[in-house]
Amino acid sequence: MIEKLLALVPAEFSPLTPKLFAAILAQALCQALAYLLLVPVLEALFGDDLPRAWFWALLMLLAVGAVAVSGYLQTIFGLRIAVGMQRGLQTRIGDHLNALPLGWFETHSAGTLSRLTVENVREIQQALAYLMAKVLNSVVVPLGVAVGMLFVDWRISLAMLLSAPVLLSVNNLAARSYAAADARAHTAAAEADARVVEFAQAQPVLRSLGAVGAGNRALDSALAEQKSASTRVLFASVPGLMVFSLCVQAVFLVLAYIVVNRVTGGSISVPAAIALIAVSARFIEPLNLAAQLGNGLRGAAAAVDRLTELLNEPTLPEATEPVTPGVPGVEFDEVGFSYRTGEQVLSGLTFSVAPGTTTAVVGPSGAGKTTLLRLAARFHDVDSGRVTVAGHDVRDQPSETLLNQVSPVFQNVYLFNRSVAENIRIGRLDATDEEVRRAAEAARVDEIAQRLPEGYDSVVGEGGSLLSGGERQRVSIARALLKDAPIVLLDEATSALDPHSEASVVRGIHELTRGKTVMVVAHRPATIAHADQILFLDGGRIVERGTHAELLKLGGRYADFWNERSRAGGWRLEQTVG
């Protein structure tokens, strides 16, 4: 655990870790020495040898002073490392998350990530600043006392040393039970966190459908499971603590028996026996403290394992050699891809998008249409074949170079809980206010800003909750317009919008795609009909390709798809006479 913990310490604070351990070791050894010096002090006092008593008492005071100084240094070093770790570790987690494939996030909830970056980091901080020093002290002090006791009475020393592996075995048995219960508690807590966030965000939907009770049931179930898991942690830890405490007290009774037996046999003096019983008590006390702190340290160890597992998740390899982008085209060459082993999403896909043209991708749900766009932006790496953007394999381009070439606009738009202007500026952080306004006007975001109380400075709420779906889509188009990349990857999302919103979004899309190379997952018949090339995708393969006129003349899958879309576009409600 210590090795993994130290691996999480930021590089600039690593030089402090040897000093921290040196201070912990010095404090523990000086504390053990102070306990042992009690024997000659009491022997000298009861023997009326005051000069000798003062000599040993002075040494004891020096040992106690060394304990205070080393304890102070240990606290300072531990706090400096822990405080530095919070920012450094959270930054490292953020950087690592940015480098993970998008597919990783589909199987990990926001609640889990929240606990990792907040609760688990706090547990690790506490372990460094407090727990680790206390637990190591609780181990080194008894060991130091046991070794030092060799110079007083080897029998007592042997009893102390033999008790160590017994107590360690009992502690390990308790640790196994606790670790399993703690893992379940972490999972339940992460699920509860996710359900709380979901419940808060879903209030408009739940209330509009009169399903508040159903939403509560999901939340109540998660909270009940968290309570149950926490209870299991308690029941898993308490028996272990009780058994360990009983064993520690048994060891003390054995040590006391040996001391009394040595006194009655005349081997040691009564003053020495009093001191030895006191030292035995000091030998036992840290062991009890270790048991009490053990669960906290085991919890921190579990947090270390979880964070280490996260940071070991494989990232997308980053190209280091700079490349010069060529003409803004896109090519797929025998591309195969799957999100999970054995579940092929795309197979043997080959096509090209010429610069300045529009390629529309159509097909049934689950055919792999959106996956095409994500692969072009390198949200994932292909399993086989290659994807080329602007004349270079996406894997051979530094991320900044590739992302400067593409503007992805997907269906699921996420807006930050900031102002309208700030959400648009994310498209290009160095953009001027005037450039932000021009992009907003082109995407018809100015209409949204006019009705908001603070205009472009109005905060849009978490996830853009204060805006409608069409309004959020317009803000995302404004982002892409501001970025002004030569290649647009568009997952067109107008089918669920009202006519006014759809018209505004379509005008923004026309402005965004003017003169650009476009790959669009098409839903609107007008977009499909005007594409330079149409790919009909099904089962991860291109089953038909051509222009709109060519595919209609073919009378195959696309023609059926087009006819269905045309019929659906003309549906209306009719009054029935009963």
Side-chain angles (χ1 to χ4, degrees), residues 21-38:
F21 281 101
I24 293 172
L25 183 62
Q27 184 190 32
L29 292 178
C30 290
Q31 191 171 342
L33 178 61
Y35 291 158
L36 289 168
L37 287 172
L38 183 63

Side-chain angles (χ1 to χ4, degrees), residues 411-479:
Q411 289 184 6
N412 298 322
V413 178
Y414 186 87
L415 301 184
F416 295 92
N417 191 20
R418 301 177 188 173
S419 69
V420 174
E422 287 176 301
N423 271 285
I424 296 174
R425 185 174 271 110
I426 289 172
R428 182 158 54 88
L429 296 176
D430 60 350
T432 65
D433 290 343
E434 181 58 31
E435 288 172 324
V436 170
R437 292 294 177 95
R438 285 203 299 268
E441 289 171 2
R444 305 299 192 271
V445 178
D446 55 331
E447 299 174 4
I448 304 171
Q450 288 172 5
R451 70 168 181 79
L452 295 175
E454 297 180 50
Y456 285 101
D457 293 326
S458 299
V459 176
V460 301
E462 186 176 359
S465 59
L466 300 180
L467 303 182
S468 69
E471 290 170 340
R472 289 196 294 271
Q473 192 63 264
R474 279 190 260 177
V475 173
S476 74
I477 291 171
R479 284 176 180 171

Side-chain angles (χ1 to χ4, degrees), residues 40-51:
V41 167
L42 288 182
E43 280 189 318
L45 280 176
F46 280 94
D48 292 328
D49 190 348
L50 290 180

Side-chain angles (χ1 to χ4, degrees), residues 9-83:
V9 176
E12 61 267 33
F13 293 96
S14 293
L16 291 177
T17 54
K19 298 178 182 179
L20 172 63
F21 281 101
I24 293 172
L25 183 62
Q27 184 190 32
L29 292 178
C30 290
Q31 191 171 342
L33 178 61
Y35 291 158
L36 289 168
L37 287 172
L38 183 63
V39 176
V41 167
L42 288 182
E43 280 189 318
L45 280 176
F46 280 94
D48 292 328
D49 190 348
L50 290 180
R52 185 164 168 264
W54 275 112
F55 171 76
W56 290 116
L58 180 61
L59 288 181
M60 182 184 288
L61 286 174
L62 290 174
V64 171
V67 169
V69 172
S70 55
Y72 172 78
L73 293 175
Q74 171 261 308
T75 301
I76 293 298
F77 293 144
L79 286 174
R80 285 183 62 187
I81 295 172
V83 171

